[in-house]
Amino acid sequence: MSEEREHSEQELPDDVVDEAERLTRLARNAVDDDEAAAYDRHREELLSEYGFTARIRGEDDVLVLHPAEWVEDGAIRVERIDDTGRAVEVPLSAPGDEDDWEAVEAHNATLVERVADEHGEIHAANCRAFADFLGNHYVRRVEDTTAAEIDVFLSEYYPRNAWPSERQRDVVEQSLELLFEVVDVNVPGRSRVR
């Protein structure tokens, strides 16, 4: 996700790295410890499929994804590191994040307003929920959304956090299509529903 991600001979696919970052951010923003622990467990299960694990380097707030074989009894054993290039580093915070969020929020809010003007409040409410999800969890513009993020929005965030009416739930995928039409992009990973 981050353009500052550092890796050389990366063993983890980009979508796995993106998902590990997403789960880490969701754990940070979780409302209770059980929810945070569930996201952390999911991240570890995902990474374990590739023989990797994760830790957050506190001094510079970086998510480090590295081979699990480097760890023994919860500590990294330096003598087990044959090639530091196998690790992937993902900065979790950076100077200017707040400014980035404000720019992303303004951009996405403009798109939501266009949907409201052209298609009404039901679709706009769904699009507003999606924009909130993107801004708060990823600091991402609508047109930069991934298929995995849309899946998380529809399966996890939307039913739990958007408080949609039955009518909104019935048209949420159509609402996303309308939002993506504003930026002239197909909804990633989805077939058209209209």
Side-chain angles (χ1 to χ4, degrees), residues 23-114:
L23 291 166
T24 301
R25 292 184 185 281
L26 287 173
R28 284 184 161 196
N29 294 325
V31 295
D32 63 50
D33 292 341
D34 289 341
E35 183 183 4
Y39 288 128
D40 286 340
R41 272 194 311 276
H42 185 60
R43 181 188 67 202
E44 287 307 310
E45 290 167 4
L46 173 71
L47 293 173
S48 70
E49 294 176 24
Y50 296 86
F52 272 64
T53 189
R55 72 180 181 92
I56 296 177
R57 194 169 58 216
E59 61 269 19
D60 55 359
D61 199 28
V62 169
L63 174 65
V64 182
L65 310 176
H66 57 83
E69 66 198 41
W70 294 0
V71 180
E72 182 178 305
D73 297 327
I76 292 184
R77 302 293 301 263
V78 177
E79 69 273 12
R80 293 183 175 203
I81 300 175
D82 53 351
D83 176 10
T84 57
R86 294 176 67 200
V88 179
E89 296 188 356
V90 183
L92 295 173
S93 61
D97 276 353
E98 187 173 319
D99 292 338
D100 292 343
W101 180 87
E102 289 174 0
V104 167
E105 169 57 23
H107 172 81
N108 289 346
T110 299
L111 304 180
V112 172
E113 288 172 20
R114 286 191 50 195

Side-chain angles (χ1 to χ4, degrees), residues 136-153:
N136 293 332
H137 290 281
Y138 302 101
V139 191
R140 183 168 325 279
R141 293 173 185 257
V142 166
E143 59 268 34
D144 297 328
T145 306
T146 67
E149 290 161 358
I150 290 171
D151 289 342
V152 171
F153 171 74

Side-chain angles (χ1 to χ4, degrees), residues 1 9 11 14 29-30 67 76 96 124-125 158:
M1 299 172 94
E9 298 171 15
E11 297 176 40
D14 284 341
N29 294 325
I76 292 184
Y158 184 74

